[in-house]
Each structure stands twice: as C-alpha cells, then as structure tokens.
C-alpha cells in the first residue's frame, strides 16, 4: 500500500495529462485559427521553409514574398525567401519530422509543442518536489499549469512560447539542484536551458 501511495502524485499527473490530450486531440492536425493565427502560420511557414531549403539551419526562410510596386524587374527576380528569426530550434525539429514523413501538416509542430509541454510539466513537478519536499503538495503547481486555460490553449499551438517556458522550467530545476549540490555540471545544464528559453 505504501508503494502505491508513493506513486500517487505521478498517477494524478498522468491522469491530468491524459485529460488535456483528450480535449486537444481533435485539434492536432488543424491549421491555426482563433488567437494569434497569423503568427502561428508564420512559425509553421518557417518549418516548411526548412523543408524547402534542405534543412539548412543557418538560412531560415518563409514562404512570403514581399514585392513593392517601385521595385525594378531585376530586384523582383532576385528575391530571397531567407528571413531573420530568433534561434529557430523549435521550428527546425518539426521540419526534420516533416522531411522524414514527407508532408508539411501542422501536426508535426503541434505534436512537438505538446510533447515539450509535457516535459516541462514533469520538470515542474520535479522542481516542486525539490522546493516543497512533500509529494502531495508538490503536485499542486503542475496541476495549476496543466489546467490553466492559456497553457491548455497554447499547449498544442505552433508558437515557440510553450517550449520556451518548458526550457525555463528545466533550467530553473537544474539551477535549484546546483544550489543544493554545488555541482558544476548542474550549473552548465541550467545555463544551457535558460539560454535556450
């Protein structure tokens, strides 16, 4: 019985994750709609751009061609789709999946964001366990996060906000571990994830 009770917080988290999956599953392959649809389309287009340019990480591109009426014909012909973006790791990984599966459906971006959000929830539980040191109370912050309407909405979105939040949580977890153990390795891992966030 004691062994079962020690697994109880993880079972509650698993149940919560399954409930969010149940509500979000019908939307995994939908094109972006509602709030920030234009921005989600832009981020999806960057992933498609990586597929189009042969997964060249250092030349992200979009599918938007902006032409001005005053541009001469030579400039209109010599146009590049390459664009400047923030560090595009959250666009590049779904692009690899798109390349492997041979399609550019939004499910690649959405599934990547969803899986990353689950990793963030897991590390929030681990962080709570480090700080609260009580398994039943440590489950409260992850449950608040899972059932937050904003988190739930963007959890299967295409924006890099949720993976960045997860990176911040992971980095904070390793920083707290570093303050308790004073191991240099924990500090380096923390720095990497905070920088990615």
């Amino acid at each position: 019985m004691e062994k079962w009770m020690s697994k109880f917080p993880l079972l509650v988290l698993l149940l919560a994750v399954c409930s969010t999956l149940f509500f979000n599953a019908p939307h995994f392959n939908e094109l972006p709609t509602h709030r920030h649809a234009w921005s989600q389309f832009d981020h999806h287009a960057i992933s498609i751009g990586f597929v189009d340019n042969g997964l060249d990480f250092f030349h992200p591109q979009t599918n938007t061609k902006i032409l001005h009426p005053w541009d001469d014909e030579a400039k209109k012909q010599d146009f590049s789709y390459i664009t400047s973006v923030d560090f595009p790791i959250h666009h590049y990984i779904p692009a690899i999946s798109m390349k492997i599966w041979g399609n550019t459906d939004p499910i690649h971006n959405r599934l990547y964001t969803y899986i990353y959000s689950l990793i963030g929830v897991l590390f929030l539980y681990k962080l709570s366990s480090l700080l609260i040191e009580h398994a039943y109370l440590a489950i409260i912050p992850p449950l608040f996060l899972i059932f937050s309407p904003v988190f739930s909405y963007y959890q299967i979105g295409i924006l890099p906000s949720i993976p960045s939040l997860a990176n911040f949580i992971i980095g904070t977890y390793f920083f707290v571990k570093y303050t308790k153990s004073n191991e240099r390795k924990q500090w380096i891992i923390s720095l990497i994830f905070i920088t990615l966030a």
Side-chain angles (χ1 to χ4, degrees):
M1 185 69 173
E2 185 65 33
K3 186 178 179 183
W4 172 258
M5 291 306 285
S6 67
K7 301 286 187 206
F8 180 74
L10 290 176
L11 291 173
V12 171
L13 279 178
L14 181 64
L15 184 65
V17 165
C18 288
S19 72
T20 61
L21 181 61
F22 174 76
F23 290 115
N24 289 327
H27 308 291
F28 268 109
N29 208 23
E30 288 181 358
L31 288 172
T33 56
H34 309 297
R35 302 226 187 285
H36 302 291
W38 60 272
S39 184
Q40 292 190 55
F41 268 113
D42 284 346
H43 288 282
H44 183 60
I46 292 168
S47 292
I48 294 171
F50 280 126
V51 173
D52 292 343
N53 74 7
L55 298 176
D56 183 357
F57 184 79
F58 297 103
H59 294 96
Q61 67 182 40
T62 184
N63 58 1
T64 305
K65 188 171 188 177
I66 300 173
L67 295 175
H68 301 287
W70 55 84
D71 289 340
D72 60 8
E73 287 302 316
K75 188 170 182 181
K76 289 179 182 177
Q77 296 301 321
D78 188 33
F79 184 83
S80 173
Y81 289 105
I82 295 173
T83 186
S84 59
V85 295
D86 292 333
F87 189 66
I89 192 71
H90 301 305
H91 307 95
Y92 190 75
I93 294 172
I96 293 171
S97 174
M98 290 176 184
K99 193 81 164 176
I100 290 170
W101 291 100
N103 66 48
T104 57
D105 294 338
I107 192 168
H108 302 281
N109 295 83
R110 292 182 185 276
L111 198 57
Y112 169 76
T113 304
Y114 182 73
I115 291 168
Y116 220 113
S117 75
L118 298 182
I119 294 168
V121 168
L122 174 68
F123 272 92
L124 182 59
Y125 174 70
K126 291 174 69 137
L127 175 63
S128 300
S129 297
L130 274 179
L131 296 174
I132 298 173
E133 297 178 355
H134 190 278
Y136 297 105
L137 293 178
I139 200 169
I140 293 172
L143 287 177
F144 270 118
L145 182 64
I146 287 171
F147 292 112
S148 162
V150 174
F151 181 80
S152 181
Y153 178 77
Y154 290 107
Q155 187 178 23
I156 62 159
I158 299 175
L159 297 176
S161 307
I162 296 297
S164 296
L165 175 65
N167 281 338
F168 176 75
I169 292 169
I170 295 167
T172 305
Y173 166 76
F174 282 107
F175 180 74
V176 171
K177 279 190 76 168
Y178 165 73
T179 60
K180 292 182 181 256
S181 68
N182 208 16
E183 290 181 31
R184 185 176 174 86
K185 182 177 110 175
Q186 308 293 341
W187 167 253
I188 292 170
I189 295 171
S190 169
L191 192 61
I192 289 169
F193 278 100
I194 295 286
T195 303
L196 282 174

